[in-house]
Amino acid sequence: MKIWHMALVGAALLSTSPAWAEARKLPIGACINIGNTLEIGKARNPYHPVTAADFKRIKAAGFQTVRIPVRWDDRSLSKPPYTVDPKWMDHVQSVVDEALTAGLNVILNSHHFQPIYETPLKVEPWHTAVWRQIAHRFKDYPDARLWFELENEPHKNFNDSNLRAVLDPALAVVRKSNPDRPVIYGGQNWSGIDSLTTLTLPDDPNVYPTFHYYEPFDFTHQGAQWVAPDVPPVGREYGTAADKKRLAADVAKIAAFEKRTGLIPFMGESGAYEKYIPTAQRVAYTRAVHDAFAPIGVDICQWAYANTFPLYDEKAGHWVPGMLEALDLQKR
């Protein structure tokens, strides 16, 4: 196993003096999801590949962190001993290694662990056992550069009534081999911003909150068939007075959360569907969200690199015009 040298990360992010600088947060910085790759499942193989060249390109663009979504349920036994396919674990490790070698921090998660959303308490032992194996595989990696997110977007039957009962056992097994590694919790209802209102966290100084932001949904997901039967109609434009009012109200929710908990959550996903939304509108939305949340210390992981909601245009061989500028990664 490749062992990574510890690196100092994030000092510059906390060296300024706004009020939020005193709150506790992960030093994520500019971040992008490696979407539609390792999380799409066996049935859709061959999945879209991600390479060392992709991570070098992401680093060169100015990103500091990548979030790597991974599906584990269909790559592991559903009954004891819940063994993860060794070849799959090796592959995930190789992807993490490539990202770290490129100089990026990594958020490694469990994404689309499908049975857990139906019967969360029943599936908990399986989910926990998978995390025991993940934690053991990466136990020698630097805490400052690799972070675990226990489950993406809890929803349906996986909610506040059982969230901690499912995630806390996974945290406990992670702590046996990774006592100080940052671990991330997201709340119910797809980890939307309102989940922060009721999200509780264990008494652990290295647990951090996250939320996802696709508001207004009728703009970001217009024409998206995977949200059927309630597919938002095509043609919605962003930038109305109501949109601006909502954005300001949502920023206030983060300030309230910080006041209540002393923590600043990061935005694990945000973006707008490219099929029906013109590039200029996607850029305007990305800029508006960034410019609203960045001043209060919220780091953002954009969805996604080169697939659905892309920031990089693979066919054209360049970043989608305006996107890096919207994120202050290039001069506007």
Side-chain angles (χ1 to χ4, degrees), residues 119-328:
T119 54
L121 294 175
K122 180 179 179 180
V123 174
E124 177 273 312
W126 177 11
H127 183 260
T128 297
V130 168
W131 270 109
R132 180 183 294 110
Q133 295 167 76
I134 299 168
H136 179 76
R137 176 61 66 102
F138 292 101
K139 62 184 176 64
D140 295 320
Y141 282 56
D143 295 339
R145 296 194 54 207
L146 174 64
W147 310 317
F148 294 158
E149 182 180 354
L150 296 180
E151 191 56 42
N152 176 69
E153 295 185 338
H155 61 274
K156 201 171 183 179
N157 298 326
F158 189 13
N159 54 41
D160 279 346
S161 71
N162 50 50
L163 189 76
R164 293 285 302 278
V166 173
L167 295 185
D168 286 5
L171 175 66
V173 298
V174 167
R175 285 288 173 254
K176 289 181 179 179
S177 56
N178 296 254
D180 299 313
R181 187 173 307 284
V183 173
I184 297 158
Y185 274 49
Q188 65 178 4
N189 293 330
W190 307 89
S191 297
I193 191 167
D194 289 330
S195 70
L196 295 174
T197 304
T198 56
L199 178 66
T200 65
L201 299 174
D203 184 15
D204 183 314
N206 290 307
V207 169
Y208 295 86
T210 189
F211 71 102
H212 291 181
Y213 195 78
Y214 291 106
E215 304 300 341
F217 194 80
D218 64 342
F219 169 75
T220 64
H221 283 68
Q222 55 188 280
Q225 293 301 313
W226 65 87
V227 301
D230 300 318
V231 180
V234 173
R236 165 75 149 89
E237 293 188 353
Y238 183 76
T240 66
D243 291 338
K244 295 175 183 178
K245 183 177 181 180
R246 179 173 192 160
L247 189 56
D250 286 341
V251 168
K253 293 173 184 177
I254 299 300
F257 180 84
E258 185 272 330
K259 184 176 181 180
R260 176 170 66 87
T261 66
L263 298 169
I264 295 180
F266 75 95
M267 192 182 295
E269 293 182 16
S270 184
Y273 187 31
E274 77 286 357
K275 185 172 182 179
Y276 299 107
I277 302 174
T279 297
Q281 277 276 289
R282 293 184 64 222
V283 169
Y285 175 76
T286 300
R287 178 181 293 121
V289 173
H290 172 272
D291 289 356
F293 285 96
I296 62 168
V298 174
D299 295 329
I300 302 171
C301 293
Q302 293 296 140
W303 190 279
Y305 168 54
N307 308 112
T308 313
F309 299 40
L311 272 70
Y312 183 76
D313 186 334
E314 282 191 311
K315 291 183 179 179
H318 59 66
W319 293 94
V320 172
M323 280 297 188
L324 296 183
E325 292 87 345
L327 299 169
D328 277 346

Side-chain angles (χ1 to χ4, degrees), residues 2-6 96-102 140-142 145:
K2 191 178 294 184
I3 307 299
W4 298 94
H5 297 291
M6 188 68 73
V96 170
D97 287 350
E98 288 172 346
L100 292 171
T101 297
D140 295 320
Y141 282 56
R145 296 194 54 207

